[in-house]
Amino acid sequence: MLALRIRAASMGHRALKQRCPFSTSSPSSSSSSNSGGGGRARNLALGLASGTILTTAAAITYINNHVGGSDGLVRTVSFYALAIPKYIQYRAHMIMQSPDDVWDELHAETSKAGLDKIMELQGFYVKSGQMAAANIGNAFPKIWQDTMSVLQDECPSEPFEVVKSIVESEYGCDLHDVFETFEETPIGAASIGQVHRATLKRDGSKVVVKVMYPGVENTFRGDVRTIKMFCEVAQPVHVAPLIEIEKQFMTEFDYVLESQQLDKVRKNMM
């Protein structure tokens, strides 16, 4: 991309030189230059078009790799639409050295707006709200902790129709071909999935089925990068915990590995 930009700038300089009234070119060479102007213009247009295509491709790659595609971009914009104005508001009150009652009102208003945004976007934003409730990094005011505490026990779950379609897609058959019973109401829900009680059809074994939400891994990675970029500017104290959480993703999303580890724990307890 850089080479194309340099090339386009260089070609533009040559074209400008040819139009310069102080040019030492002879009339014949000037005429020759004019006759070749169309070719140079086409080359310049092709160079600019190529640069535009490469720039667009690079932007698409960046969006896919850093915010999780077009859906991730929408999520990022939605988050920043709340976070940036609130950050500016907080900075203004710091500069003005506002009294405690003003800060309490700002914390209450912003934490409520933050919780509403978390419930709207879900994904990693739920986990970030849980971090606030637990006061990770000792950086959250009491009002924030209280507002976000609802996420500790009442994490939103997906409708049963979504769960059913995921299970049937994984097994490649109807849900009731595998399970004799499957409770529609989850016994627990987290930011990446939820758990249901069920009974296997083949032998009547009682089991729990942990279902991961569709596309949640890419969504999480995009969300973490979005929040991390914001925290690097606004709240550096939160960057280190976010990096550690990002490192845990390989185990968080590997249900097979988790099952093997739980099986080891069960055998050790027997």
Side-chain angles (χ1 to χ4, degrees), residues 126-139:
V126 172
K127 190 172 284 292
S128 66
Q130 292 170 338
M131 290 170 61
N135 197 20
I136 300 296
N138 196 32

Side-chain angles (χ1 to χ4, degrees), residues 34-235:
N34 288 337
S35 64
R40 281 190 292 274
R42 283 194 296 272
N43 288 337
L44 178 59
L46 286 171
L48 292 173
S50 298
T52 301
I53 291 170
L54 289 175
T55 301
T56 303
I60 292 171
T61 300
Y62 180 88
I63 290 170
N64 283 330
N65 292 341
H66 289 78
V67 295
S70 57
D71 289 342
L73 180 60
V74 171
R75 295 171 64 81
T76 298
V77 171
S78 180
F79 169 76
Y80 281 138
L82 172 66
I84 292 176
K86 286 298 181 184
Y87 171 68
I88 294 172
Q89 193 175 0
Y90 267 80
R91 293 294 296 178
H93 282 290
M94 288 177 66
I95 293 170
M96 293 185 296
Q97 297 183 346
S98 298
D100 289 346
D101 59 327
V102 173
W103 280 106
D104 288 344
E105 183 178 349
L106 179 60
H107 287 324
E109 174 191 322
T110 306
S111 62
K112 175 62 170 62
L115 180 60
D116 291 342
K117 182 62 66 175
I118 286 169
M119 300 300 284
E120 173 194 335
L121 296 175
Q122 299 189 31
F124 179 76
Y125 296 103
V126 172
K127 190 172 284 292
S128 66
Q130 292 170 338
M131 290 170 61
N135 197 20
I136 300 296
N138 196 32
F140 294 94
K142 183 67 164 56
I143 295 174
W144 276 82
Q145 296 174 45
D146 293 341
T147 302
M148 298 297 168
S149 63
V150 65
L151 297 171
Q152 299 287 57
D153 301 315
E154 300 179 22
C155 194
S157 60
E158 290 289 339
F160 178 69
E161 290 74 17
V162 174
V163 172
K164 184 173 182 289
S165 66
I166 294 171
V167 174
E168 290 180 342
S169 175
E170 287 292 318
Y171 279 103
C173 62
D174 187 81
L175 180 75
H176 295 292
D177 290 341
V178 180
F179 300 99
E180 187 68 35
T181 64
F182 197 106
E183 293 186 7
E184 295 190 8
T185 303
I187 59 175
S191 50
I192 67 171
Q194 60 196 62
V195 180
H196 294 255
R197 288 192 182 93
T199 305
L200 291 178
K201 193 168 187 176
R202 65 185 182 191
D203 59 8
S205 297
K206 303 292 184 181
V207 297
V208 291
V209 182
K210 190 173 183 180
V211 181
M212 186 184 298
Y213 300 139
V216 70
E217 184 171 358
N218 286 337
T219 298
F220 255 58
R221 291 187 184 278
D223 291 348
V224 168
R225 288 165 183 161
T226 296
I227 296 175
K228 192 165 65 174
M229 285 188 292
F230 176 77
C231 288
E232 284 171 353
V233 175
Q235 292 287 326

